[in-house]
Amino acid sequence: MTQQGVRWTADQVLALAPDTASRKAGSKLGAAGPWSEAGSSDEGTVWGLCKGSGSKPYQTIVDIADASGPAYKCSCPSRKFPCKHALGLLLLWAGGDGAVPSGQAPEWAGQWISGRRKRAEEKGSEESPASPSGSADPEAARRRAERRAERVTAGAVELEQRLTDLLRGGLAAAEQSGYGLWEETAARMVDAQAQGLAARVRELGAIPSTGPGWPVRLLEECALLHLLGQGWLRRERLPDGLAATVRSRIGLPASVEGPPVRDRWLVLAQYDTTDPRLTTRRIWLHGADSHRTVLLLSYGAAGRAPELALPVGLALEAEISAYPGAGQLRVALGERFAPPTPTDIRPPGMTTSQAAARYGDALRDDPWLESVPVTLDRVVPTPDGGSWQLADADEDMALPLTPAARSRPGLWRLVALSGGAPVRVFGECGHQGFTPLTAWPEGPGDAVALC
C-alpha cells in the first residue's frame, strides 16, 4: 500500500525518465492544462487522460504501489518507459495541489489495475520451490560450462598472441592499423564467448590518436587486458574470490550465493548507459541497517529502457542477494515487502582523501575496477582552471570531476544546490576522478539527482 498523503518530489519523479528528452517533455506535461479526469486511489494508482495531437486523449495509468517499482500503461505509441505522459501525470500528482484527487478508478484504468494484480498473484504461486524452472539437468549444465571454458581459453591464448605481436611491432603501429584490427580481434573474442574480453579490446581500439599521451594509456590498458587473460589461464591457482572476479570480468554468468539480506534500502542513484546492442541501467542502493552500498544491474534491448526503475531518494524494504567475487558489489533484488516511500535516510559521508584511499584498497581485490561508490561529506564544487573539482571544506584536499561529469547538466544542478556552501555528494570515485550522481544540502532537504 502507498500512502497518498505522502507525495514524491518532482526530482524523484524525473529521476525515472529514460533520457533527457523524456525529462523535458514530461516536465511540460506536469501542469493541469492537458489533463482531464485525473485521479488517484488509496491502493497506490494514478490515472488521467492527456490531450494529444489526435482526437482521442491518451489514457495514462501508473501503479505506484508495485513493490518492484512504478509500473506504467499509456495508449500513446511511445516505446519509452515511462513515456512523457506517465512522467507528466506523476509530476501533476506530486504537486499535491488537488489536481489529482482521490477517487474511484474509471473502467479502463480499473481493468488494467485488476489484471496486474491477478498476474502478480499467479506469478507468485508459480515461483515455488517445486517449479520446473529449477529442474535443469546438472550434468548437461556441467558439460555446457566445460565447452564454454574451452572456447574462452582458446580466445585468451589467441588474445595473448595478438598483444605480443602488438608490443613487438611497437605501439606506433596501432595508430596505423586503424580500428578494423581491433574490431576483428573483438569479434574473435565474441566467437570465444568471452564478452568481457571483447569489450576491453574495443576500448583498446578507441585509444590511438586520442591526444597527447595516448601510447601510455594504450600500454596501461594492454597490461590490464594481459592480466585478465593470464588470470583466466591460471584461474585454478587463484583464491576463490579473485577467481570469481576473473570469471565475472571475462563475461561468464554467475548465480547469487549466500543468504539474502533484508534491509530498508535507500535508492542512491540510477542511470543508463547504452551501446548499439544493449541499454544497461545501474541502480545504487544503501542499506539503512547493514550500511552496505550495493549495485543492481538491469538490461533492455537497444533503444529501450530497462523495466526496473526506482526513484532516487526513496527507500524500499527488500531482500538482496550478492553475486560472487572479491570486492564485488553487484546484487540481485529479491522479495520486496513494500513499494518505495519517501525517507530521511542519508548515507554516511567521508573525506576526499578517504575516498581516494578506498578506491586504492578496492583495486587489490579487483585490479580492473573503474571506480567505487562513495559519499563525500562537506564538499564544495569549485572551478579549477578549465575544469571542476570537489574541494573538501575541512581539509586541504580535492577530487577532480571526470570528463563525463563536467559535460552533464547535473554539474550545474550541483553548483546551484551548493551555492558555495558544503554539500553531501554520492558518486563514483575512480582513476579518472569523481562522478557525482546525487547530492543533499547540508541542512534538511531532499536528494537531488545529478544524472
Side-chain angles (χ1 to χ4, degrees):
M1 300 285 282
T2 184
Q3 299 177 1
Q4 292 298 298
V6 181
R7 307 269 175 171
W8 297 356
T9 66
D11 280 339
Q12 288 164 345
V13 171
L14 292 175
L16 297 170
D19 51 40
T20 302
S22 298
R23 187 178 294 112
K24 291 180 179 178
S27 297
K28 294 178 180 178
L29 294 175
W35 292 96
S36 61
E37 300 183 27
S40 61
S41 74
D42 292 337
E43 286 73 33
T45 52
V46 184
W47 59 84
L49 300 176
C50 186
K51 181 176 176 55
S53 56
S55 58
K56 292 184 178 181
Y58 295 122
Q59 297 176 341
T60 308
I61 322 165
V62 182
D63 185 0
I64 307 166
D66 193 308
S68 62
Y72 317 94
K73 172 67 175 179
C74 187
S75 58
C76 76
S78 175
R79 297 179 62 191
K80 297 180 180 180
F81 295 95
C83 67
K84 63 181 181 181
H85 306 102
L87 290 170
L89 179 60
L90 283 176
L91 287 171
L92 191 66
W93 167 77
D97 57 1
V100 186
S102 180
Q104 182 70 32
E107 183 179 358
W108 56 268
Q111 289 178 350
W112 181 77
I113 295 167
S114 60
R116 276 191 58 77
R117 299 287 190 264
K118 182 178 179 181
R119 288 192 296 273
E121 292 175 0
E122 292 174 348
K123 183 178 180 182
S125 63
E126 291 173 359
E127 293 178 350
S128 63
S131 174
S133 60
S135 60
D137 182 357
E139 179 60 25
R142 184 190 64 80
R143 290 195 297 269
R144 287 195 298 270
E146 288 181 350
R147 288 195 296 269
R148 181 167 185 177
E150 291 172 358
R151 295 190 189 99
V152 173
T153 297
V157 170
E158 180 178 346
L159 180 58
E160 286 289 289
Q161 185 59 53
R162 296 204 177 198
L163 290 175
T164 300
D165 294 343
L166 171 65
L167 295 178
R168 281 177 177 169
L171 293 180
E175 190 173 25
Q176 302 167 359
S177 301
Y179 190 76
L181 173 64
W182 301 103
E183 186 57 39
E184 178 193 351
T185 304
R188 294 287 296 163
M189 296 305 103
V190 171
D191 292 341
Q193 294 186 286
Q195 297 288 350
L197 291 178
R200 298 193 78 92
V201 167
R202 291 192 179 97
E203 292 174 2
L204 281 183
I207 294 176
S209 305
T210 55
W214 72 260
V216 174
R217 295 193 295 274
L218 180 61
L219 184 60
E220 291 172 346
E221 292 302 318
C222 283
L224 286 172
L225 188 54
H226 168 69
L227 182 65
L228 183 56
Q230 287 298 312
W232 171 261
L233 296 174
R234 292 172 168 79
R235 60 192 181 279
E236 292 85 0
R237 308 179 196 175
L238 300 178
D240 291 344
L242 183 56
T245 297
V246 167
R247 288 194 292 270
S248 174
R249 292 295 181 184
I250 288 287
L252 298 185
S255 300
V256 296
E257 60 182 26
V261 177
R262 179 170 177 172
D263 205 338
R264 192 158 185 243
W265 298 97
L266 168 66
V267 184
L268 288 174
Q270 173 182 291
Y271 67 95
D272 295 347
T273 56
T274 60
D275 62 35
R277 297 167 293 278
L278 196 67
T279 297
T280 302
R281 173 162 293 166
R282 290 170 170 82
I283 302 177
W284 287 107
L285 304 176
H286 176 77
D289 297 325
S290 64
H291 304 294
R292 292 176 58 183
T293 299
V294 297
L295 176 65
L296 289 175
L297 293 179
S298 58
Y299 303 94
R304 296 194 63 133
E307 290 189 7
L308 180 61
L310 298 174
V312 174
L314 301 188
L316 70 156
E317 187 173 353
E319 289 181 341
I320 59 97
S321 298
Y323 283 90
Q328 298 300 297
L329 300 177
R330 186 187 173 193
V331 299
L333 189 60
E335 184 176 358
R336 282 144 280 185
F337 303 97
T341 56
T343 180
D344 57 1
I345 300 172
R346 292 187 182 186
M350 64 179 64
T351 66
T352 53
S353 57
Q354 289 171 332
R358 174 168 291 187
Y359 177 59
D361 292 341
L363 289 175
R364 291 199 300 263
D365 292 327
D366 184 354
W368 307 277
L369 190 64
E370 293 289 332
S371 60
V372 292
V374 296
T375 301
L376 301 176
D377 196 21
R378 291 181 51 76
V379 292
V380 181
T382 308
D384 180 27
S387 182
W388 283 82
Q389 61 184 6
L390 292 179
D392 202 305
D394 299 318
E395 60 179 36
D396 189 22
M397 289 284 291
L399 285 176
L401 296 190
T402 60
R406 298 197 299 266
S407 63
R408 293 175 179 170
L411 170 61
W412 303 110
R413 290 199 291 272
L414 176 60
V415 172
L417 177 69
S418 166
V423 290
R424 184 174 298 190
V425 183
F426 169 77
E428 297 170 349
C429 181
H431 63 93
Q432 291 188 335
F434 187 86
T435 301
L437 300 174
T438 307
W440 298 262
E442 191 162 43
D446 296 313
V448 175
L450 306 175
C451 54

